[in-house]
Amino acid sequence: HILRPPPRSAASFLVTSELARMSGSVTESLLGRAPNGIPLKSDYDAMAPEPKSLFVLYSVMFTMFSSLGVAAGVGMWIFASALVVRKVDLLSEFELGPIYLGVFALKFCFQMISANMGTARRACKVNVPDQHVYRVYGGAADGAVVLMDTEGAFGAFNRAQRSLANLEEYLPLFLVEVLLVGFVFPALVGALTVIFGAARLMGAFGYTRGAKERMAGNIIGFLSNGLLDGLLGFLGVVTLRKQLA
């Protein structure tokens, strides 16, 4: 007699099909990744591959963006109203120039800390939205790394959550600058604040769709923030010069 395998039930067929689909999905999700799930390339490779210094790159970007704010400050100071002059005189009278320059220096230090993080991120090729790499200790999966899910609804949630957390990282210093610069130039700072918020909102929607789609909104946000940085530094210098005069 010829032995034939028993007929497969509909349930068995569905389970097998689902396993095959999941296997295909896993294979697709590993495209561009090492067997342990870590990407084969860093996102930084497109603009600053090793051994280029991210400290230099971030410094140049900070200088470029803040220079626009300095230029805006010079223009507004040349055509300053009597009220603006009185406000700067008041800052000088209370010797607040060093506060403005100190916050400006703090913002530069923040950029250098970001460059330090980026250098470490580039070396291990852990790309956004991942912020940490977890390792399994013990058991059958000992040594395996655990990363964020980047696909489907879970992936969209992870990226949306990261867009909020990223804003929270920038917001404290941004609000401090808003208060300091806004005292002298309230209308301009109000407009920059609205632009910053709208740009970050645009970036958040894009980030939810995909990691690379966050950049357009975020760059506009960085530009408005850079203008604020430059205005802060400019006011610090002008105020300090008046103090020392």
Side-chain angles (χ1 to χ4, degrees):
H1 296 282
I2 299 176
L3 296 177
R4 299 172 183 263
R8 297 169 63 188
S9 65
S12 175
F13 177 78
L14 289 175
V15 169
T16 303
S17 299
E18 179 64 13
L19 289 174
R21 185 194 67 78
M22 293 175 62
S23 177
S25 176
V26 170
T27 301
E28 291 177 5
S29 68
L30 286 175
L31 290 176
R33 295 177 180 266
N36 63 356
I38 299 293
L40 297 173
K41 294 182 178 181
S42 169
D43 286 344
Y44 284 100
D45 290 344
M47 58 178 177
E50 291 181 315
K52 290 184 179 180
S53 172
L54 292 182
F55 292 94
V56 172
L57 175 64
Y58 279 45
S59 297
V60 170
M61 292 175 62
F62 179 80
T63 301
M64 288 175 55
F65 287 166
S66 60
S67 293
L68 297 175
V70 171
V74 170
M76 296 190 70
W77 184 246
I78 292 175
F79 301 100
S81 65
L83 178 60
V84 168
V85 174
R86 287 205 307 271
K87 289 179 180 179
V88 174
D89 287 342
L90 185 62
L91 295 177
S92 175
E93 179 183 347
F94 285 92
E95 300 182 343
L96 296 177
I99 297 294
Y100 280 68
L101 293 177
V103 175
F104 180 82
L106 178 61
K107 184 58 178 293
F108 179 76
C109 291
F110 181 86
Q111 295 301 315
M112 292 302 96
I113 293 171
S114 297
N116 179 65
M117 181 279 298
T119 301
R121 179 188 287 280
R122 181 180 63 181
C124 65
K125 298 181 176 61
V126 174
N127 298 325
V128 296
D130 284 294
Q131 303 301 308
H132 303 90
V133 179
Y134 298 94
R135 175 188 165 177
V136 176
Y137 286 89
D142 182 46
V145 298
V146 180
L147 302 173
M148 281 188 179
D149 190 348
T150 59
E151 299 177 16
F154 289 157
F157 164 72
N158 284 332
R159 290 187 297 272
Q161 190 277 336
R162 270 306 305 159
S163 68
L164 175 61
N166 186 252
L167 173 61
E168 291 170 344
E169 293 164 5
Y170 280 88
L171 202 54
L173 266 177
F174 179 83
L175 293 177
V176 169
E177 292 186 57
V178 163
L179 294 176
L180 292 175
V181 181
F183 172 73
V184 181
F185 302 123
L188 175 59
V189 171
L192 288 176
T193 303
V194 172
I195 293 171
F196 177 80
R200 297 304 300 227
L201 179 61
M202 174 183 170
F205 287 152
Y207 204 173
T208 303
R209 293 191 299 270
K212 296 186 183 300
E213 295 189 46
R214 76 193 190 283
M215 294 307 299
N218 284 1
I219 288 176
I220 297 173
F222 290 146
L223 179 59
S224 59
N225 202 342
L227 285 166
L228 200 58
D229 293 337
L231 288 166
L232 177 73
F234 172 77
L235 287 174
V237 171
V238 170
T239 301
L240 188 60
R241 287 186 63 183
K242 282 180 169 287
Q243 288 178 217
L244 300 176

